[in-house]
Amino acid sequence: MTDHIPSLAVVIPCYNEEEMLPKTLATMLTLREQMIARGKISPDSKIYLVDDGSKDKTWDILSDAANSNTAIVGVKLSRNKGHQNALYAGLCVTTEDITVSIDADLQDDPQNIEAMVDEYLKGHDVVYGVRSARDTDTFFKRFTAEGYYHLMKKMGVDLVFNHADFRLMSRRALEALKEYGESNLFLRGVVREVGFPSSVVEYERQAREAGESKYPLKKMLSFAWKGITAFSTAPLRMITLLGLLSGFASFTLIAWVLVIRFFTDNATPGWASVLLPLLFIGSVQLLCLGIIGEYLSKIYEEVKRRPKFHISDIARKDN
């Protein structure tokens, strides 16, 4: 444990959060003052809010708050780049000793940030916020989310179960994260690759107080697929297995046709014995090509080396 009081940066990606932002700002500012008063963080600690190309008044609220309070920094992206890129942009802007990322909906209880800082002071560079209970989620969301973590584990992806993007990172862990230049960001997996001593803080997920979820089923499925293809080669190995199974099935069918043809008098000309193998093999080939195509698309995006984000404006009040 160190005697140095660390400066804290809290990074909050925002997309169309005008309804929730007043509550978020008030909660985070109060928590910051409380932690400063208890000597957990230094007065230099700041709150970074990243506007991910919102279509409502999110940026107006953020810029007004940043221009009236030195503890708030507003970051505006030039266009919508998605949650992961917005979060990464905020992380890259920070200069503080430790950084905590949290969503604007506050379903990940910010009161646990102090416990995360305590874990950092004990020598942990990464502290994962883990949901011990998801009673506020619907049965479908809870079932699919937990099923996804189990699936990723089966595929050999190293993830912290029931951890999203509520985490603390030390400065050296964050600098190591910046060395990963991939375009298809899946921070839950990349942070695990960084390593360094880590620990867990458990909490109960809260209900959203205002606004609506920015992760409908379509986006959840897309995000899940991105994580699988970014960190697991299991789908590629499945191609080999499918090829072996289809080859075995085809060989069995050929043997059956030959037996009927040469050892019985029941052979009748027909389209089934020709069409069925063609359809079966064709379907397997198409599936394999689809999976290979998904990985090729990832390679295509990576080799372009496009920037993950562009910042069009930063709002802050000078001391």
Side-chain angles (χ1 to χ4, degrees):
M1 180 174 178
T2 177
D3 295 330
H4 170 69
I5 300 177
S7 57
L8 169 68
V10 178
V11 177
I12 308 174
C14 307
Y15 178 69
N16 293 343
E17 292 287 0
E18 64 175 345
E19 295 180 45
M20 189 64 197
L21 274 178
K23 171 70 173 179
T24 302
L25 288 168
T27 300
M28 298 310 302
L29 286 171
T30 300
L31 178 63
R32 173 182 177 274
E33 293 302 319
Q34 292 173 345
M35 292 180 66
I36 291 174
R38 286 194 283 268
K40 292 297 181 68
I41 59 175
S42 76
D44 296 329
S45 302
K46 296 187 182 297
I47 303 167
Y48 294 79
L49 298 108
V50 184
D51 177 22
D52 185 23
S54 298
K55 299 177 182 178
D56 59 5
K57 296 181 180 179
T58 293
W59 176 245
D60 294 334
I61 297 173
L62 294 184
S63 58
D64 288 344
N67 289 325
S68 61
N69 193 324
T70 57
I72 297 174
V73 178
V75 180
K76 180 179 175 63
L77 301 190
S78 60
R79 61 180 292 267
N80 178 256
K81 298 293 288 185
H83 177 273
Q84 296 290 280
N85 285 323
L87 175 54
Y88 186 78
L91 294 175
C92 290
V93 172
T94 65
T95 57
E96 285 71 19
D97 298 323
I98 52 178
T99 304
V100 170
S101 57
I102 188 172
D103 289 341
D105 57 20
L106 300 186
Q107 288 188 269
D108 299 326
D109 190 355
Q111 295 300 322
N112 291 280
I113 291 177
E114 185 169 343
M116 290 180 164
V117 174
D118 290 339
E119 289 298 312
Y120 163 76
L121 294 174
K122 293 177 183 177
H124 299 104
D125 288 275
V126 182
V127 183
Y128 300 99
V130 173
R131 298 160 181 169
S132 60
R134 308 180 65 125
D135 296 335
T136 58
D137 289 343
T138 63
F139 170 79
F140 177 76
K141 185 171 183 178
R142 183 168 61 252
F143 177 78
T144 54
E146 293 183 352
Y148 170 68
Y149 285 106
H150 288 300
L151 175 63
M152 293 291 278
K153 183 177 180 179
K154 292 290 185 182
M155 290 193 166
V157 182
D158 183 18
L159 290 182
V160 177
F161 186 77
N162 264 337
H163 164 69
D165 287 301
F166 183 28
R167 72 178 70 88
L168 176 148
M169 299 185 71
S170 68
R171 175 50 51 185
R172 72 167 180 169
L174 183 53
E175 292 301 322
L177 176 67
K178 293 179 183 179
E179 296 179 12
Y180 289 74
E182 52 204 73
S183 300
N184 294 282
L185 273 179
F186 186 67
L187 291 174
R188 301 177 197 185
V190 176
V191 173
R192 291 292 288 172
E193 292 291 319
V194 169
F196 296 118
S198 65
S199 65
V200 166
V201 169
E202 293 188 346
Y203 64 96
E204 293 187 9
R205 185 168 168 81
Q206 307 297 310
R208 174 184 270 270
E209 295 188 22
E212 59 183 20
S213 173
K214 306 305 182 295
Y215 263 90
L217 179 60
K218 182 179 179 181
K219 282 191 175 182
M220 288 176 60
L221 292 174
S222 175
F223 185 67
W225 184 243
K226 175 186 285 190
I228 291 172
T229 55
F231 281 90
S232 175
T233 57
L236 289 174
R237 294 193 179 101
M238 288 172 60
I239 294 177
T240 303
L241 179 60
L242 283 171
L244 292 173
L245 291 175
S246 63
F248 176 76
S250 298
F251 177 80
T252 303
L253 183 59
I254 290 172
W256 176 75
V257 170
L258 292 175
V259 168
I260 296 297
R261 172 65 179 83
F262 293 108
F263 297 100
T264 73
D265 297 328
N266 298 327
T268 57
W271 56 269
S273 60
V274 175
L275 190 59
L276 285 176
L278 289 177
L279 289 174
F280 177 74
I281 295 173
S283 64
V284 171
Q285 289 176 332
L286 287 175
L287 175 62
C288 295
L289 287 174
I291 296 176
I292 293 173
E294 179 66 27
Y295 281 90
L296 288 176
S297 69
K298 293 291 187 293
I299 296 173
Y300 171 70
E301 292 179 5
E302 293 293 342
V303 297
K304 288 186 292 187
R305 313 301 293 175
R306 289 179 177 174
K308 297 180 181 65
F309 60 87
H310 294 288
I311 295 175
S312 67
D313 196 5
I314 295 181
R316 72 170 78 203
K317 182 180 180 180
D318 296 329
N319 294 320

Coordinates of all heavy atoms in Angstrom, one line a residue, residues 34-112:
Q34 N -17.1 13.2 -1.6 CA -17.1 12.3 -0.4 C -15.7 11.6 -0.4 O -15.1 11.5 0.7 CB -18.2 11.3 -0.5 CG -19.6 12.0 -0.3 CD -20.7 11.0 -0.5 OE1 -20.5 9.9 -1.0 NE2 -21.9 11.3 0.0
M35 N -15.3 11.1 -1.5 CA -14.0 10.4 -1.5 C -12.8 11.3 -1.3 O -11.8 10.9 -0.6 CB -13.9 9.6 -2.9 CG -14.9 8.5 -3.0 SD -14.7 7.6 -4.6 CE -13.1 6.9 -4.4
I36 N -12.9 12.5 -1.8 CA -11.8 13.5 -1.5 C -11.8 13.8 0.0 O -10.7 13.9 0.6 CB -12.0 14.8 -2.3 CG1 -11.8 14.5 -3.8 CG2 -11.1 15.9 -1.8 CD1 -12.1 15.7 -4.7
A37 N -13.0 14.0 0.6 CA -13.1 14.3 2.0 C -12.5 13.2 2.9 O -11.9 13.4 4.0 CB -14.5 14.6 2.4
R38 N -12.7 11.9 2.4 CA -12.2 10.8 3.2 C -10.7 10.5 2.9 O -10.1 9.5 3.4 CB -13.0 9.6 2.9 CG -14.4 9.6 3.6 CD -15.1 8.3 3.6 NE -15.6 8.0 2.3 CZ -16.9 8.2 1.9 NH1 -17.7 8.9 2.8 NH2 -17.3 7.9 0.7
G39 N -10.1 11.3 2.0 CA -8.7 11.1 1.7 C -8.4 9.9 0.8 O -7.2 9.5 0.7
K40 N -9.4 9.4 0.1 CA -9.2 8.3 -0.8 C -8.6 8.7 -2.2 O -7.8 8.0 -2.8 CB -10.5 7.6 -1.0 CG -11.1 6.9 0.2 CD -10.1 5.8 0.7 CE -10.6 5.1 1.9 NZ -11.8 4.2 1.6
I41 N -9.0 9.9 -2.7 CA -8.5 10.4 -4.0 C -8.2 11.9 -3.8 O -8.6 12.5 -2.9 CB -9.6 10.2 -5.1 CG1 -10.9 11.0 -4.7 CG2 -9.9 8.8 -5.3 CD1 -11.9 11.0 -5.8
S42 N -7.3 12.4 -4.7 CA -6.9 13.7 -4.6 C -7.9 14.7 -5.2 O -8.7 14.3 -6.0 CB -5.5 13.9 -5.3 OG -5.7 13.9 -6.7
P43 N -7.8 16.0 -4.9 CA -8.7 17.0 -5.5 C -8.5 17.2 -7.0 O -9.4 17.8 -7.6 CB -8.3 18.3 -4.7 CG -7.7 17.8 -3.4 CD -7.0 16.6 -3.8
D44 N -7.5 16.6 -7.5 CA -7.2 16.7 -9.0 C -8.1 15.7 -9.8 O -8.0 15.7 -11.0 CB -5.8 16.5 -9.3 CG -4.9 17.5 -8.7 OD1 -5.3 18.7 -8.6 OD2 -3.7 17.2 -8.3
S45 N -8.8 14.9 -9.1 CA -9.6 13.9 -9.7 C -10.7 14.5 -10.6 O -11.3 15.5 -10.2 CB -10.3 12.9 -8.7 OG -9.3 12.3 -7.9
K46 N -11.0 13.9 -11.7 CA -12.0 14.4 -12.7 C -13.0 13.4 -13.2 O -12.7 12.2 -13.1 CB -11.3 15.1 -13.8 CG -10.4 16.3 -13.5 CD -9.8 17.0 -14.7 CE -8.9 18.2 -14.3 NZ -9.7 19.2 -13.5
I47 N -14.0 13.9 -13.8 CA -15.1 13.0 -14.4 C -15.1 13.4 -15.9 O -15.4 14.5 -16.3 CB -16.5 13.3 -13.7 CG1 -16.4 13.1 -12.2 CG2 -17.5 12.4 -14.4 CD1 -17.6 13.6 -11.5
Y48 N -14.8 12.4 -16.7 CA -14.8 12.5 -18.2 C -16.1 11.9 -18.7 O -16.3 10.7 -18.5 CB -13.6 11.8 -18.8 CG -12.3 12.4 -18.4 CD1 -11.7 12.2 -17.1 CD2 -11.6 13.3 -19.3 CE1 -10.5 12.7 -16.8 CE2 -10.3 13.8 -18.9 CZ -9.8 13.6 -17.7 OH -8.6 14.1 -17.4
L49 N -16.8 12.7 -19.4 CA -18.1 12.2 -20.1 C -17.9 12.3 -21.6 O -17.6 13.4 -22.1 CB -19.3 13.0 -19.6 CG -19.5 12.9 -18.1 CD1 -19.2 14.2 -17.4 CD2 -21.0 12.5 -17.8
V50 N -18.1 11.2 -22.3 CA -17.8 11.2 -23.7 C -19.1 11.1 -24.5 O -19.9 10.1 -24.3 CB -16.9 9.9 -24.1 CG1 -16.6 10.0 -25.6 CG2 -15.6 9.9 -23.2
D51 N -19.4 12.1 -25.3 CA -20.6 12.1 -26.1 C -20.3 11.3 -27.4 O -19.6 11.8 -28.3 CB -21.0 13.5 -26.4 CG -22.3 13.6 -27.3 OD1 -23.0 12.6 -27.4 OD2 -22.5 14.6 -28.0
D52 N -21.0 10.2 -27.6 CA -20.7 9.3 -28.7 C -21.7 9.7 -29.9 O -22.5 8.9 -30.3 CB -20.9 7.9 -28.3 CG -20.6 6.9 -29.4 OD1 -19.8 7.3 -30.3 OD2 -21.1 5.8 -29.4
G53 N -21.6 10.9 -30.3 CA -22.4 11.4 -31.5 C -23.9 11.3 -31.2 O -24.7 10.9 -32.0
S54 N -24.3 11.8 -30.0 CA -25.7 11.8 -29.6 C -26.6 12.7 -30.5 O -26.1 13.7 -31.0 CB -25.9 12.2 -28.1 OG -25.2 11.4 -27.2
K55 N -27.9 12.3 -30.6 CA -28.8 13.1 -31.4 C -29.7 14.0 -30.6 O -30.5 14.8 -31.2 CB -29.6 12.1 -32.3 CG -28.8 11.3 -33.2 CD -29.7 10.3 -34.0 CE -28.9 9.4 -34.9 NZ -29.7 8.4 -35.6
D56 N -29.6 13.9 -29.3 CA -30.4 14.7 -28.4 C -29.6 15.9 -27.8 O -28.6 16.3 -28.4 CB -31.1 13.9 -27.3 CG -30.1 13.2 -26.5 OD1 -28.8 13.4 -26.6 OD2 -30.5 12.4 -25.6
K57 N -29.9 16.3 -26.6 CA -29.2 17.5 -26.0 C -28.1 17.0 -25.1 O -27.6 17.8 -24.2 CB -30.2 18.3 -25.3 CG -31.2 19.0 -26.1 CD -32.2 19.8 -25.3 CE -33.2 20.5 -26.2 NZ -34.2 21.3 -25.4
T58 N -27.6 15.8 -25.3 CA -26.5 15.3 -24.4 C -25.3 16.2 -24.4 O -24.8 16.5 -23.3 CB -26.1 13.9 -24.8 OG1 -27.2 13.0 -24.6 CG2 -24.9 13.4 -24.1
W59 N -24.8 16.6 -25.5 CA -23.6 17.4 -25.6 C -23.8 18.8 -25.0 O -23.0 19.4 -24.3 CB -23.1 17.6 -27.0 CG -21.9 18.5 -27.0 CD1 -21.8 19.7 -27.7 CD2 -20.6 18.3 -26.4 NE1 -20.5 20.3 -27.5 CE2 -19.8 19.4 -26.7 CE3 -20.1 17.3 -25.6 CZ2 -18.5 19.6 -26.2 CZ3 -18.8 17.4 -25.1 CH2 -18.0 18.6 -25.4
D60 N -25.0 19.4 -25.2 CA -25.3 20.7 -24.5 C -25.2 20.6 -23.0 O -24.7 21.5 -22.4 CB -26.7 21.1 -25.0 CG -26.8 21.4 -26.5 OD1 -25.8 21.8 -27.1 OD2 -27.9 21.3 -27.0
I61 N -25.8 19.5 -22.5 CA -25.7 19.3 -21.0 C -24.3 19.1 -20.6 O -23.8 19.7 -19.5 CB -26.6 18.1 -20.6 CG1 -28.1 18.4 -21.0 CG2 -26.4 17.8 -19.1 CD1 -29.0 17.2 -20.8
L62 N -23.5 18.3 -21.3 CA -22.1 18.0 -20.9 C -21.3 19.3 -21.0 O -20.5 19.6 -20.1 CB -21.6 16.9 -21.8 CG -22.2 15.5 -21.7 CD1 -21.4 14.6 -22.5 CD2 -22.1 15.1 -20.2
S63 N -21.4 20.0 -22.1 CA -20.5 21.2 -22.3 C -20.9 22.3 -21.2 O -20.0 22.9 -20.7 CB -20.7 21.8 -23.7 OG -22.0 22.1 -23.9
D64 N -22.2 22.5 -20.9 CA -22.5 23.4 -19.9 C -22.0 23.0 -18.5 O -21.5 23.9 -17.8 CB -24.1 23.5 -19.8 CG -24.7 24.2 -21.0 OD1 -23.9 24.9 -21.7 OD2 -25.9 24.1 -21.2
A65 N -22.1 21.7 -18.2 CA -21.5 21.2 -16.9 C -20.0 21.4 -16.9 O -19.4 21.8 -15.8 CB -21.9 19.8 -16.7
A66 N -19.3 21.1 -18.0 CA -17.9 21.2 -18.0 C -17.4 22.6 -17.9 O -16.4 22.9 -17.3 CB -17.4 20.5 -19.3
N67 N -18.1 23.6 -18.5 CA -17.8 25.0 -18.5 C -18.0 25.6 -17.1 O -17.6 26.8 -16.9 CB -18.5 25.7 -19.6 CG -18.0 25.4 -21.0 OD1 -16.8 25.1 -21.2 ND2 -18.9 25.3 -22.0
S68 N -18.8 25.0 -16.3 CA -19.1 25.6 -15.0 C -18.4 24.8 -13.8 O -18.6 25.3 -12.7 CB -20.6 25.6 -14.8 OG -21.1 24.3 -14.8
N69 N -17.8 23.7 -14.1 CA -17.2 22.9 -13.0 C -15.9 22.3 -13.5 O -15.8 21.6 -14.5 CB -18.1 21.8 -12.6 CG -17.7 21.1 -11.3 OD1 -16.6 21.0 -11.0 ND2 -18.7 20.7 -10.5
T70 N -14.8 22.6 -12.8 CA -13.5 22.2 -13.2 C -13.3 20.7 -13.0 O -12.4 20.1 -13.6 CB -12.4 22.9 -12.3 OG1 -12.6 22.6 -10.9 CG2 -12.4 24.4 -12.6
A71 N -14.2 20.0 -12.3 CA -14.1 18.6 -12.1 C -14.6 17.8 -13.2 O -14.5 16.6 -13.3 CB -14.8 18.2 -10.8
I72 N -15.3 18.4 -14.2 CA -16.0 17.8 -15.3 C -15.3 18.1 -16.6 O -15.0 19.2 -16.9 CB -17.5 18.2 -15.4 CG1 -18.2 17.7 -14.1 CG2 -18.1 17.5 -16.6 CD1 -19.6 18.2 -14.0
V73 N -15.0 17.1 -17.4 CA -14.5 17.2 -18.7 C -15.4 16.6 -19.7 O -15.7 15.4 -19.6 CB -13.1 16.6 -18.8 CG1 -12.5 16.7 -20.3 CG2 -12.1 17.2 -17.8
G74 N -15.9 17.3 -20.7 CA -16.7 16.8 -21.7 C -15.9 16.5 -23.0 O -15.1 17.3 -23.4
V75 N -16.1 15.4 -23.6 CA -15.4 14.9 -24.8 C -16.5 14.6 -25.8 O -17.3 13.8 -25.6 CB -14.5 13.7 -24.5 CG1 -13.8 13.3 -25.8 CG2 -13.5 14.0 -23.4
K76 N -16.4 15.3 -27.0 CA -17.4 15.0 -28.0 C -16.7 14.4 -29.2 O -15.8 14.9 -29.8 CB -18.0 16.4 -28.5 CG -19.1 16.2 -29.6 CD -19.6 17.6 -29.9 CE -20.6 17.6 -31.1 NZ -21.8 16.7 -30.8
L77 N -17.2 13.2 -29.6 CA -16.7 12.5 -30.8 C -17.4 13.1 -32.0 O -18.5 13.6 -32.0 CB -17.0 11.0 -30.7 CG -16.4 10.2 -29.5 CD1 -16.6 8.7 -29.7 CD2 -15.0 10.6 -29.3
S78 N -16.7 13.0 -33.2 CA -17.2 13.7 -34.4 C -18.4 13.0 -34.9 O -19.2 13.6 -35.7 CB -16.1 13.7 -35.5 OG -15.7 12.3 -35.7
R79 N -18.6 11.7 -34.6 CA -19.8 10.9 -35.0 C -19.9 9.7 -34.1 O -19.0 9.4 -33.3 CB -19.7 10.5 -36.5 CG -18.5 9.6 -36.7 CD -18.4 9.1 -38.2 NE -19.5 8.2 -38.5 CZ -19.5 6.9 -38.5 NH1 -18.4 6.3 -38.0 NH2 -20.5 6.2 -38.8
N80 N -21.0 9.1 -34.2 CA -21.3 7.9 -33.4 C -20.3 6.7 -33.8 O -20.3 6.3 -35.0 CB -22.7 7.4 -33.6 CG -23.0 6.1 -32.8 OD1 -23.1 5.1 -33.3 ND2 -23.1 6.3 -31.5
K81 N -19.5 6.3 -32.8 CA -18.5 5.2 -33.1 C -18.8 4.0 -32.3 O -18.0 3.0 -32.4 CB -17.1 5.7 -32.8 CG -16.7 6.9 -33.7 CD -16.5 6.5 -35.1 CE -15.3 5.7 -35.3 NZ -15.0 5.4 -36.8
G82 N -19.8 4.0 -31.5 CA -20.1 2.8 -30.7 C -19.6 2.9 -29.3 O -18.6 3.6 -29.0
H83 N -20.2 2.1 -28.4 CA -19.9 2.2 -27.0 C -18.4 1.9 -26.7 O -17.7 2.7 -25.9 CB -20.7 1.2 -26.2 CG -20.4 1.1 -24.7 ND1 -19.5 0.3 -24.2 CD2 -21.0 1.7 -23.7 CE1 -19.4 0.4 -22.9 NE2 -20.3 1.3 -22.6
Q84 N -17.8 0.9 -27.3 CA -16.4 0.5 -27.0 C -15.4 1.6 -27.4 O -14.5 1.9 -26.7 CB -16.1 -0.8 -27.6 CG -16.9 -2.0 -27.1 CD -16.6 -2.4 -25.7 OE1 -15.6 -3.1 -25.4 NE2 -17.3 -2.0 -24.7
N85 N -15.6 2.1 -28.6 CA -14.7 3.2 -29.1 C -14.9 4.5 -28.3 O -13.9 5.2 -28.0 CB -15.0 3.5 -30.6 CG -14.4 2.4 -31.5 OD1 -13.4 1.8 -31.2 ND2 -15.2 2.0 -32.5
A86 N -16.1 4.8 -27.9 CA -16.3 6.0 -27.1 C -15.7 5.8 -25.7 O -15.0 6.7 -25.2 CB -17.8 6.2 -26.9
L87 N -15.8 4.6 -25.1 CA -15.1 4.4 -23.9 C -13.6 4.4 -24.0 O -12.9 5.0 -23.2 CB -15.5 3.0 -23.4 CG -14.8 2.4 -22.1 CD1 -15.0 3.4 -21.0 CD2 -15.4 1.1 -21.7
Y88 N -13.1 3.9 -25.1 CA -11.6 3.9 -25.3 C -11.1 5.3 -25.5 O -10.1 5.7 -25.1 CB -11.3 3.0 -26.6 CG -9.8 2.9 -26.8 CD1 -9.1 2.0 -26.1 CD2 -9.2 3.6 -27.8 CE1 -7.7 1.8 -26.3 CE2 -7.9 3.5 -28.1 CZ -7.1 2.6 -27.3 OH -5.8 2.4 -27.6
A89 N -11.9 6.2 -26.2 CA -11.6 7.6 -26.4 C -11.4 8.3 -25.1 O -10.5 9.0 -24.9 CB -12.6 8.2 -27.3
G90 N -12.4 8.0 -24.2 CA -12.3 8.6 -22.9 C -11.1 8.2 -22.1 O -10.4 9.0 -21.4
L91 N -10.8 6.9 -22.2 CA -9.6 6.4 -21.5 C -8.3 7.0 -22.0 O -7.4 7.3 -21.2 CB -9.5 4.9 -21.7 CG -10.6 4.0 -21.0 CD1 -10.5 2.6 -21.4 CD2 -10.6 4.2 -19.5
C92 N -8.3 7.3 -23.3 CA -7.0 7.8 -23.9 C -6.9 9.3 -23.5 O -5.7 9.8 -23.5 CB -7.1 7.7 -25.4 SG -6.9 6.0 -26.0
V93 N -7.9 10.0 -23.2 CA -7.8 11.4 -22.9 C -7.4 11.6 -21.4 O -6.8 12.6 -21.1 CB -9.2 12.1 -23.1 CG1 -9.2 13.5 -22.5 CG2 -9.6 12.1 -24.5
T94 N -7.6 10.6 -20.6 CA -7.3 10.8 -19.1 C -5.8 10.9 -18.9 O -5.0 10.3 -19.7 CB -7.8 9.6 -18.3 OG1 -7.2 8.4 -18.7 CG2 -9.3 9.5 -18.5
T95 N -5.4 11.5 -17.8 CA -4.0 11.6 -17.4 C -3.8 11.3 -15.9 O -2.7 11.4 -15.4 CB -3.4 13.1 -17.6 OG1 -4.3 14.0 -16.9 CG2 -3.5 13.4 -19.1
E96 N -4.9 10.9 -15.2 CA -4.8 10.6 -13.8 C -4.2 9.3 -13.5 O -3.9 8.5 -14.4 CB -6.3 10.7 -13.2 CG -6.9 12.1 -13.1 CD -7.2 12.7 -14.5 OE1 -7.3 11.9 -15.5 OE2 -7.4 13.9 -14.5
D97 N -3.9 9.1 -12.2 CA -3.2 7.9 -11.7 C -4.0 6.6 -12.0 O -3.5 5.6 -12.3 CB -2.9 8.0 -10.2 CG -2.0 9.2 -9.9 OD1 -1.1 9.4 -10.7 OD2 -2.1 9.8 -8.9
I98 N -5.3 6.7 -11.7 CA -6.2 5.5 -11.9 C -7.5 6.0 -12.7 O -7.9 7.1 -12.6 CB -6.6 4.9 -10.5 CG1 -7.1 5.9 -9.6 CG2 -5.4 4.1 -10.0 CD1 -7.6 5.4 -8.2
T99 N -8.0 5.0 -13.4 CA -9.2 5.3 -14.2 C -10.3 4.3 -13.9 O -10.0 3.1 -13.9 CB -8.9 5.3 -15.7 OG1 -7.8 6.3 -15.9 CG2 -10.1 5.7 -16.5
V100 N -11.5 4.7 -13.7 CA -12.7 3.9 -13.6 C -13.6 4.1 -14.7 O -14.0 5.3 -15.0 CB -13.4 4.1 -12.2 CG1 -14.7 3.3 -12.2 CG2 -12.5 3.6 -11.1
S101 N -14.1 3.1 -15.4 CA -15.1 3.3 -16.5 C -16.4 2.8 -16.0 O -16.5 1.7 -15.3 CB -14.6 2.5 -17.7 OG -14.4 1.1 -17.4
I102 N -17.5 3.5 -16.3 CA -18.8 3.1 -15.8 C -19.8 3.7 -16.8 O -19.6 4.7 -17.5 CB -19.1 3.7 -14.4 CG1 -20.4 3.1 -13.8 CG2 -19.0 5.2 -14.4 CD1 -20.6 3.5 -12.4
D103 N -20.9 3.0 -17.0 CA -22.0 3.5 -17.9 C -22.8 4.6 -17.3 O -23.0 4.7 -16.1 CB -22.9 2.3 -18.4 CG -22.2 1.4 -19.3 OD1 -21.2 1.7 -19.9 OD2 -22.6 0.2 -19.4
A104 N -23.4 5.4 -18.2 CA -24.1 6.6 -17.7 C -25.5 6.2 -17.0 O -26.0 7.0 -16.3 CB -24.4 7.5 -18.9
D105 N -26.0 5.0 -17.3 CA -27.3 4.6 -16.7 C -27.2 4.3 -15.2 O -28.2 4.2 -14.5 CB -27.9 3.5 -17.4 CG -27.0 2.2 -17.4 OD1 -26.0 2.1 -16.6 OD2 -27.2 1.4 -18.3
L106 N -25.9 4.2 -14.6 CA -25.7 4.0 -13.2 C -26.3 2.7 -12.7 O -26.5 2.5 -11.5 CB -26.2 5.1 -12.3 CG -25.6 6.5 -12.6 CD1 -26.1 7.5 -11.6 CD2 -24.1 6.5 -12.6
Q107 N -26.6 1.7 -13.6 CA -27.0 0.4 -13.2 C -25.9 -0.3 -12.5 O -26.1 -1.2 -11.6 CB -27.5 -0.4 -14.4 CG -28.9 0.1 -14.9 CD -29.5 -0.8 -15.9 OE1 -29.2 -0.6 -17.1 NE2 -30.2 -1.8 -15.5
D108 N -24.6 0.0 -12.8 CA -23.5 -0.5 -12.1 C -23.2 0.5 -11.0 O -22.8 1.7 -11.3 CB -22.3 -0.6 -13.0 CG -22.5 -1.6 -14.1 OD1 -23.2 -2.6 -13.9 OD2 -22.0 -1.4 -15.2
D109 N -23.6 0.2 -9.8 CA -23.6 1.1 -8.7 C -22.3 1.9 -8.5 O -21.3 1.2 -8.1 CB -24.0 0.4 -7.4 CG -24.3 1.3 -6.2 OD1 -24.1 2.5 -6.4 OD2 -24.7 0.8 -5.2
P110 N -22.2 3.2 -8.7 CA -21.0 3.9 -8.5 C -20.4 4.0 -7.1 O -19.3 4.3 -6.9 CB -21.3 5.3 -9.0 CG -22.8 5.4 -8.9 CD -23.3 4.1 -9.1
Q111 N -21.3 3.6 -6.1 CA -20.8 3.6 -4.7 C -19.7 2.5 -4.5 O -18.9 2.6 -3.5 CB -21.9 3.3 -3.8 CG -23.0 4.3 -3.7 CD -22.5 5.7 -3.3 OE1 -21.6 5.8 -2.4 NE2 -23.0 6.8 -3.9
N112 N -19.5 1.6 -5.5 CA -18.5 0.6 -5.4 C -17.1 1.1 -5.9 O -16.2 0.4 -5.8 CB -18.9 -0.6 -6.2 CG -20.1 -1.4 -5.6 OD1 -19.9 -2.1 -4.7 ND2 -21.3 -1.1 -6.1

